[in-house]
Amino acid sequence: MDVYEAIRTILAVRQYQDKPIPDDAVRRIVEAGRLTASASNKQPWHFIVVQERETLRRLGAIARSGAYTAQAPLAVVVAVEQTPFGVSDGSLAIHAMMLTAWAEGIGSNWVGFAGRLAEVNGLLGIPDQLAVLAILPFGYPATPVGRGKKNRKPLADVASRERFGHPLA
Ligand SMILES: Cc1cc2nc3c(=O)[nH]c(=O)nc-3n(C[C@H](O)[C@H](O)[C@H](O)COP(=O)(O)O)c2cc1C
């Protein structure tokens, strides 16, 4: 799958098959995060691979907007330094990991913000200077996903040619 095709078709996946993700795929997902660009190449992140069922359950209990994490075979917790670029750098790494997984038929989603994510620090022993930006549950989709069927604003509403307000046709 080329990059545009992955971006065109990726959708949030919140239900997963009870099927483990092969170790080499897990490695590629985390490598995609590690290899991502960051401001001044600071790489202000840490990725924690979680595959133990009890820990996945506890993550699902903490994440109010991502209880389904409990059913996933894998989650990657992304923690970032609390510096001006931590969130933007971490977000880029998150997208790289999600797209890498998607290209292999593995769905995922961004779980964050609405939960008590600081509790994840305690659960996983993450130092206080790192803030949990997201929990990313990964798994093979439980139901066929409507690849590319996206509910998005039309291009002309979000993009202009040359000057703001001249819709890109
Ligand atoms: C920054 C960010 C935070 C998100 N937080 C959550 C979340 O906490 N729980 C959840 O189920 N989905 C979350 N999502 C997923 C979005 O709801 C989803 O990407 C959006 O509705 C588009 O879905 P689609 O790509 O399947 O069309 C988040 C997405 C982003 C980019």
Side-chain angles (χ1 to χ4, degrees):
M1 190 183 290
D2 70 25
V3 175
Y4 178 69
E5 186 62 7
I7 288 172
R8 194 184 70 78
T9 59
I10 189 171
L11 289 167
V13 175
R14 298 183 175 90
Q15 288 177 297
Y16 314 100
Q17 293 175 38
D18 184 17
K19 176 178 160 187
I21 297 179
D23 288 346
D24 58 336
V26 175
R27 174 57 66 120
R28 278 191 293 277
I29 290 167
V30 183
E31 277 287 60
R34 182 183 75 88
L35 293 168
T36 296
S38 56
S40 305
N41 203 21
K42 294 268 195 224
Q43 305 161 67
W45 45 50
H46 197 89
F47 310 108
I48 301 182
V49 173
V50 178
Q51 292 173 299
E52 288 176 8
R53 179 56 53 203
E54 184 51 28
T55 312
L56 290 162
R57 275 202 199 100
R58 293 173 81 171
L59 286 173
I62 290 171
R64 238 185 15 242
S65 58
Y68 49 87
T69 304
Q71 271 84 51
L74 165 72
V76 176
V77 172
V78 180
V80 294
E81 292 172 12
Q82 302 183 62
T83 51
F85 296 112
V87 170
S88 44
D89 292 341
S91 301
L92 216 55
I94 287 168
H95 205 208
M97 289 190 279
M98 293 176 70
L99 286 169
T100 297
W102 183 254
E104 305 205 17
I106 298 165
S108 62
N109 197 24
W110 179 320
V111 171
F113 296 116
R116 310 175 306 267
L117 288 189
E119 290 181 26
V120 178
N121 286 60
L123 177 64
L124 303 181
I126 300 169
D128 286 346
Q129 59 269 31
L130 296 179
V132 172
L133 177 60
I135 300 167
L136 308 176
F138 288 91
Y140 295 98
T143 52
V145 279
R147 300 169 76 90
K149 291 200 184 117
K150 297 203 186 219
N151 178 15
R152 298 289 189 269
K153 295 177 183 174
L155 190 63
D157 286 8
V158 298
S160 298
R161 187 177 297 285
E162 305 296 345
R163 296 176 75 80
F164 187 93
H166 297 248
L168 192 68

